[in-house]
Amino acid sequence: MPGTVLLLCLALGPVLRARCESTEEYDYDYLSINKTWVLTPKAQETDATQILNSLLKNYDNKLRPDIGIKPTFIDVDIYVNSIGPVSVIQMEYTIDIFFAQTWYDRRLRFNSTLKALTLNTNMVSRIWIPDTFFRNSKRADSHWITTPNQLLRIWNDGKVLYTLRLTIEAECLLQLQNFPMDTHSCPLVFSSYGYPREEIVYRWRRYSIEVSDQRTWRLYQFDFTGLRNTSEVLRTGAGEYMVMTVSFDLSRRMGYFAIQTYIPCILTVVLSWVSFWIKRDSTPARTSLGITTVLTMTTLSTISRKHLPRVSYITAMDLFVSVCFIFVFAALMEYATLNYLVGNKKPVEHNNRKARLPPTCAQVMPSFTTININNIMHWPAEMEDDEDEDPGSPCLEGKECERFFCCIEDCQTGMWREGRVRIHISRLDSYSRVFFPTAFLLFNIVYWIAYLYL
């Protein structure tokens, strides 16, 4: 029996020794970790607590620094996190910023090995901070997730830094005379709410405004072209206040409006010219084409004003759409005029004139119809569309009977009747094929040069 126990101890000895060694290693590692925490110095933590207690012991956060001695100078820094979107209807824009204010408070000086104390939001309500507000803001939110996005840092010389993150919806009065080729300057204006200039003075630093990567901005229809910062004094009944302004320059992208409005309007005008190549006796075809293009322009005009505020002045897009509508409507009226004049021509006999003309002229001279247009006498010929040349008539030497001038007996006697022009009513479509495209091309040249380069 004793031999059996001895053999059992010899067999279990290595296993028990291994477990004991592993336990010792585990205990050693645990003790080494605890030693790191135990050896952490708490002198600075105790020092910071004592500093804060001593600073706040007799501190009155209702009074600004150096009250009654000199004004408090506040240096302002802004970091623009994002801008946009810009609402044209509401005339406002959204901006996300980190707003930093720096000032000196001699009551917060301390002597310590610590150069600065970085504190959380619990300390903000216990010291004096400026009553800065944004004058042109409609709504403003401070971020609170996961904790209030605020920072308070106090240096040993009394310098205080206070930053917070804000999302502001600010007013931006848009001038839309050049819409959609317009540029705007959207301001962000802030000042002290209650302290006049004699007590608080805001100052910009040299590089006080910075912007983030613009690829994350939600400007959509606009391009950011730059910014400016200014300061001015606002005089009110309550005193003079220092007002700080940051202006963000924006330029509109017109690609969306070119696709949605300009190109459809141009194509609709060009489509209305198709009626000039349709025979004048095809009344249903020409009438339906003219009415369709007019209704299309009416729809485009309504859509172009849908995303704009109801301003009382005319915009650049309104001018373009209106002129396009006039061209389309004029194309429809051209056929109505042609149909009316051709259907109501009445030949007038000129017996006295025929008697005085030579026999050759009397045989070939066509009859004319006198039409009053703008108080000018016109003599259109009763010819068909296939007549290209006018019959020849003898004239005095040195006189040329131009194609569009009436060559009658006065030409033979050396007298030209002023204001008498030969207009072929049946050729009105041919004239329109040249006049309408030329006039529309000239309008586009003047329009785009005026709004893009002037």
Side-chain angles (χ1 to χ4, degrees), residues 171-348:
E171 292 180 348
C172 182
L173 298 180
L174 306 178
Q175 301 297 326
L176 302 174
Q177 285 88 350
N178 294 334
F179 175 86
M181 282 92 55
D182 49 345
T183 58
H184 304 283
S185 182
C186 294
L188 183 64
V189 186
F190 62 91
S191 67
S192 173
Y193 188 84
Y195 293 100
R197 186 177 61 167
E198 293 78 13
E199 299 191 40
I200 283 186
V201 177
Y202 290 92
R203 298 183 302 187
W204 293 112
R205 293 186 178 181
R206 186 175 181 181
Y207 301 103
S208 57
I209 302 178
E210 297 181 2
V211 296
S212 64
D213 188 1
Q214 302 177 20
R215 291 178 295 180
T216 60
W217 295 7
R218 296 179 298 166
L219 287 176
Y220 304 134
Q221 296 181 9
F222 293 90
D223 284 323
F224 176 74
T225 58
L227 56 85
R228 305 183 310 275
N229 56 328
T230 59
S231 59
E232 59 181 351
V233 177
L234 177 63
R235 293 176 174 84
T236 65
E240 298 180 354
Y241 293 87
M242 182 66 69
V243 178
M244 314 296 282
T245 304
V246 186
S247 300
F248 302 96
D249 297 331
L250 305 176
S251 176
R252 192 186 300 273
R253 305 171 185 170
M254 62 170 301
Y256 171 81
F257 302 98
I259 296 174
Q260 296 293 323
T261 302
Y262 282 97
I263 294 178
C265 287
I266 293 174
L267 294 179
T268 304
V269 173
V270 174
L271 181 63
S272 67
W273 301 338
V274 176
S275 63
F276 302 148
W277 280 268
I278 300 177
K279 293 183 178 181
R280 66 168 181 250
D281 55 353
S282 301
T283 302
R286 297 190 64 164
T287 304
S288 60
L289 178 60
I291 295 176
T292 301
T293 53
V294 169
L295 294 178
T296 302
M297 283 304 309
T298 304
T299 304
L300 291 174
S301 177
T302 304
I303 294 176
S304 66
R305 299 286 303 181
K306 183 177 180 181
H307 301 290
L308 286 178
R310 297 179 179 178
V311 294
S312 59
Y313 49 82
I314 186 171
T315 65
M317 180 177 288
D318 293 336
L319 176 62
F320 189 87
V321 174
S322 300
V323 173
C324 289
F325 184 87
I326 292 174
F327 271 93
V328 171
F329 188 77
L332 178 61
M333 290 297 100
E334 183 270 346
Y335 176 67
T337 303
L338 174 64
N339 193 36
Y340 174 78
L341 295 179
V342 172
N344 290 274
K345 287 191 301 182
K346 295 181 180 180
V348 179

Side-chain angles (χ1 to χ4, degrees), residues 41 192 350 363:
S192 173
H350 305 277
Q363 295 176 0

